[in-house]
Amino acid sequence: QVQLVESGGALVQAGGSLRLSCAASGVIFSRYNMGWFRQAPGKEREFVAAMTWGLGRTYYADSVKGRFTISRDNAKNTGYLQMNSLKPEDTAVYYCAAVRGDVVLTTDRSYDYWGQGTQVTVSS
């Protein structure tokens, strides 16, 4: 019943921008912490960004600070990841995830629900 669906991945040139969306159903998304992770070919899944449900505190990996912005629209039950100044090293499958509770949000082990992923490819 719980479902997260990512969209917005595409092939873009270096320096370009994308906005990824994460549509949630089966949960009251406004009450859940939200995270974004990515996995490049042959690499482990890594933390990208997260936002708490209560105060909306945000967390970012050092590699994306100043370039990516996490946000949510509670009325639409949807989360977003705005990606600017994209680099080839940002190429990966991007996943959104959600979890309710006081947990560490920078590790994928904390999350209960995951989307199927969306491919982002940045050409040089």
Side-chain angles (χ1 to χ4, degrees):
Q1 275 63 24
V2 177
Q3 187 176 30
L4 304 176
V5 180
E6 302 97 334
S7 62
L11 171 64
V12 299
Q13 295 180 343
S17 298
L18 285 173
R19 188 177 73 163
L20 306 183
S21 298
C22 176
S25 62
V27 297
I28 306 173
F29 199 47
S30 63
R31 295 285 184 168
Y32 281 72
N33 307 296
M34 176 182 64
W36 287 94
F37 293 78
R38 66 187 183 187
Q39 187 167 25
K43 304 294 184 180
E44 294 184 355
R45 187 162 53 195
E46 66 174 348
F47 169 76
V48 176
M51 172 179 279
T52 64
W53 73 267
L55 298 177
R57 292 191 297 270
T58 58
Y59 305 87
Y60 295 95
D62 289 341
S63 59
V64 306
K65 284 182 179 178
R67 300 189 298 120
F68 291 10
T69 303
I70 187 172
S71 63
R72 70 201 307 164
D73 186 336
N74 290 330
K76 296 182 178 180
N77 221 35
T78 300
Y80 303 96
L81 183 69
Q82 179 67 46
M83 308 165 63
N84 299 327
S85 302
L86 284 163
K87 304 175 181 179
E89 52 262 44
D90 295 319
T91 295
V93 176
Y94 283 72
Y95 300 88
C96 69
V99 63
R100 186 171 184 176
D102 186 15
V103 298
V104 176
L105 298 180
T106 54
T107 174
D108 54 4
R109 294 186 62 185
S110 294
Y111 292 83
D112 294 323
Y113 309 112
W114 291 85
Q116 84 291 343
T118 186
Q119 177 70 50
V120 172
T121 303
V122 184
S123 64
S124 60

